[in-house]
Amino acid sequence: MAGRWKNDLNWSDVTPRAEFLNRRQLLAGVGALAVGGIAGPALAKIDAVKTNYGRGLEPNSYEDITSYCNFYEFGTGKDDPSRNAGRMKTMPWSVRIDGLVDKPGNYGIEDIVHGVTMEERIYRFRCVEAWSMVVPWVGFELADLLNRVGVQPSAKYVAFETLLRPSEMPGVGSRVLEWPYREGLRIDEAMNPLTLMATGIYGEELPNQNGAPLRLVVPWKYGFKSIKSIVRITLTDKQPPTSWNMANAREYGFYSNVNPEVDHPRWSQATERRIGGGLFSAREDTLMFNGYGDEVAGLYAGMDLRKNF
Ligand SMILES: Nc1nc2c(c(=O)[nH]1)N[C@H]1C(S)=C(S)[C@@H](COP(=O)(O)O)O[C@H]1N2
Ligand SMILES: [Mo]
C-alpha cells in the first residue's frame, strides 16, 4: 500500500493487477490505445492526487465503474447505460462555449484537450441515492479550460448541457427528466481545483456509459451534478436551471453538496453503501462534503446549508 500514493503513481499501481493486465491485452487487440490521439501522451505519467482524501482509498474495479451507471438518456436501470450507450457517436465531438467569455465558439474535443495537464484523481464519488464508489479519473481542471476561453468578470455561474440525440438515446423518449440534461455550478465552485473535466478512467478513454468524451466531476457534490457527455458550456450571470431541480425542487437543490445532516425527503443521507462491497458489507458513514471539507467548506462560509441544499 505505502508506495501507492507517491508522486510517481502510474496505472499499474492503482489498478487491481490482474484486471490491468487483462484490459491491456484486450485493448492491444482492438486498437483502443488509439486514445493516444486524444489523451494518450499525457497519460503516460500521472501526477499525484491533489487531495489527501484519496489516500488509502481502494478504487472500485473497472467492471463496477462501467457497469453500474446512471445515464438516463440510455434508460433508468443501472445496467441500461452499459448496454445502450455504445450507439452514441462521440467522434467528431465539439463543445459550444458561449455566454460571458472572451473567446466563445465551437471547440473540437481535440482542441479542448490539446496541451492540458492530464492527471489522475482518485475521488470518492457519492450518488444522491446513498451509494458510493471510488473512481480513478483521468482529467484536467475545469479552471484550465475556463481560463483559456477567458471568463468575463460579470460571469457568476457556469451552465452545462449534455448531448441530446434521440436517434442514439433510447431513454429520452421518457419524460423522467427534461432534456437535454442540464447542470450548473457557481463560478467559484467551477474554478475550485478539485473540479475536474474527466476524459478517462483507469488510464483509458471514458466509456460512453460514463460520459464520453468529456464529463464533469465535482467530488464534494452528489453524483447528479457530474454531468456527462457535455456539448455546451455557458457562462452566465444568473443561476441556471438544472435538470433534477426542475424535475423536483423539493428533493434536489441547486447546490447538492454531500451533507449527512440534511436528509433527502425520502431517505437518510447519513450513510452510504459502497458499490462492490458485497451484499452484507457494512454501510459507511457519509462525510460532510464527501470528505473534501478542507478544500471546499470555505466556499459556503456563512451560508445556511439546510436552506441551500
Ligand atoms: N447527462 C447525464 N449526466 C448524468 C446523469 C444522467 O442521467 N445524464 N446521471 C448523473 C448521476 S445521478 C450520477 S450518480 C452520475 C453517475 O456517473 P457514473 O455512471 O459514471 O458513475 O452521473 C450523473 N450525470
Ligand atoms: Mo446519482
Side-chain angles (χ1 to χ4, degrees):
M1 265 321 267
R4 283 192 158 192
W5 307 97
K6 291 184 319 213
N7 281 349
D8 57 355
L9 271 180
N10 62 50
W11 290 104
S12 55
D13 292 328
V14 296
T15 309
R17 185 94 194 132
E19 208 159 64
F20 181 78
L21 293 172
N22 220 338
R23 270 206 328 283
R24 277 197 31 157
Q25 283 155 6
L26 272 174
L27 289 166
V30 298
L33 292 174
V35 61
I38 289 183
L43 294 183
K45 177 93 168 81
I46 306 295
D47 292 348
V49 288
K50 282 264 171 93
T51 169
N52 284 333
Y53 193 66
R55 206 177 286 274
L57 287 178
E58 188 72 24
N60 276 80
S61 69
Y62 185 85
E63 176 67 19
D64 285 345
I65 296 167
T66 58
S67 61
Y68 191 90
C69 297
N70 274 338
F71 199 164
Y72 278 15
E73 286 86 335
F74 298 99
T76 55
K78 300 299 174 212
D79 57 348
D80 287 337
S82 61
R83 283 190 291 112
N84 297 330
R87 68 180 85 167
M88 174 171 66
K89 235 180 120 216
T90 60
M91 203 103 90
W93 191 275
S94 67
V95 181
R96 175 168 163 196
I97 305 182
D98 60 5
L100 303 169
V101 289
D102 296 334
K103 290 177 260 178
N106 289 307
Y107 291 88
I109 186 73
E110 318 71 44
D111 303 325
I112 287 176
V113 300
H114 181 78
V116 303
T117 307
M118 286 287 174
E119 290 180 62
E120 177 208 50
R121 298 281 184 95
I122 300 168
Y123 284 156
R124 177 189 290 267
F125 186 78
R126 171 62 157 76
C127 177
V128 72
E129 299 166 283
W131 52 263
S132 63
M133 292 197 204
V134 175
V135 183
W137 301 107
V138 177
F140 58 94
E141 294 180 11
L142 173 60
D144 283 2
L145 178 59
L146 295 179
N147 288 332
R148 275 187 291 150
V149 295
V151 175
Q152 296 179 353
S154 52
K156 301 283 183 284
Y157 295 90
V158 189
F160 303 86
E161 277 181 28
T162 294
L163 177 73
L164 175 55
R165 197 182 284 153
S167 61
E168 298 172 8
M169 295 176 151
V172 301
S174 149
R175 299 265 187 89
V176 58
L177 292 174
E178 256 183 71
W179 316 106
Y181 195 99
R182 268 165 267 190
E183 259 309 334
L185 296 173
R186 220 169 56 186
I187 192 77
D188 56 346
E189 298 175 322
M191 289 296 196
N192 187 278
L194 287 186
T195 304
L196 272 200
M197 295 300 281
T199 57
I201 51 169
Y202 271 118
E204 290 159 13
E205 204 172 345
L206 277 174
N208 284 3
Q209 62 265 35
N210 295 97
L214 191 69
R215 71 170 294 169
L216 186 67
V217 180
V218 194
W220 70 95
K221 292 180 181 283
Y222 292 118
F224 67 83
K225 299 296 283 184
S226 294
I227 182 172
K228 295 174 167 178
S229 303
I230 293 167
V231 293
R232 187 170 179 193
I233 300 175
T234 306
L235 281 290
T236 161
D237 56 1
K238 289 179 197 67
Q239 184 177 302
T242 59
S243 289
W244 281 98
N245 181 253
M246 289 189 287
N248 191 337
R250 207 175 73 87
E251 299 192 354
Y252 308 105
F254 176 79
Y255 284 95
S256 293
N257 292 316
V258 174
N259 188 342
E261 288 160 24
V262 177
D263 289 336
H264 186 281
R266 290 182 283 135
W267 59 81
S268 165
Q269 294 291 19
T271 64
E272 62 203 53
R273 179 176 66 93
R274 172 83 179 269
I275 297 302
L279 207 50
F280 303 105
S281 65
R283 297 186 73 86
E284 296 172 31
D285 287 342
T286 287
L287 303 173
M288 188 65 197
F289 298 117
N290 202 23
Y292 300 96
D294 287 352
E295 290 87 350
V296 301
L299 297 173
Y300 310 101
M303 279 176 68
D304 181 346
L305 297 180
R306 289 184 177 275
K307 265 194 209 130
N308 298 286
F309 61 94

